[in-house]
Amino acid sequence: HLRDLDVFQSGIDKVLSDDKWLAIANKYNVPEHAFDFVWQTAKTIVFNTIMQHLEACQELSISGILCDEADIGKSFVAKYYVSQRQGAIYVDCSKCKSRTAFIKQLAKEFGLDHNIRISDIQRDLTQYINSMRTKPLIILDEAGDLDYPAFLEIKALWNATEYKCGWYMMGADGLKFKIDRNRNLQKV
């Protein structure tokens, strides 16, 4: 196994800085001693169901929403999926609640310049997503934490990328409450 690791590392050596590797490892909850043991993913009913949802959304460029109990593994499955699939990105909406932070985070996940004017980021995001060769999937976790203007931004991006990008929104009680409340208020 160590020999395989050496071959792997020689192919990626110096492509990213150590700081960038640490940031990626932190984002996907890679344990500090990840190569000391091997995690075994339990393919539970929840795991398989969410994986099927994500695969369908990406392959068919459709959208889905999952509201379910907290701590059943939704985030784990989403991160696992992104680690296995090209063109899929994961956004933890609890860390980018405002419209501006959300748009910048989307751009950052796709590797686009996120330190420019918001209108330019929106234009670049739409153009990039619509021109991708692989079918993209945007997974929005903890979506109930988003501010209302961020939801309007999702609507605009969804309309601008229709049939070009899959979207999957998920969350627990916060998302369910937000959907029910806004439906009752007849909001978007």
Side-chain angles (χ1 to χ4, degrees), residues 58 81-89 132 134-137:
Q58 187 167 16
Y81 185 88
V82 167
S83 75
Q84 303 296 309
R85 299 298 196 293
Q86 188 176 8
I89 66 162
M132 287 179 70
T134 57
K135 293 181 178 182
L137 173 65

Side-chain angles (χ1 to χ4, degrees), residues 29 50 54 66 68-69 71 73-79 89-97 102 138-146 151 154 168-172 175:
N29 298 322
I50 295 174
L54 297 172
L66 175 67
D68 210 322
E69 297 176 27
D71 298 323
K74 296 181 297 295
S75 299
F76 175 83
V77 179
K79 291 175 186 178
I89 66 162
Y90 171 87
V91 177
D92 181 348
C93 297
S94 69
K95 296 179 181 175
C96 54
K97 299 173 186 180
F102 174 73
I138 298 171
I139 303 170
L140 305 176
D141 193 11
E142 302 293 348
D145 291 352
L146 290 173
F151 272 97
I154 292 168
Y168 195 75
M169 182 182 288
M170 57 188 201
L175 180 58

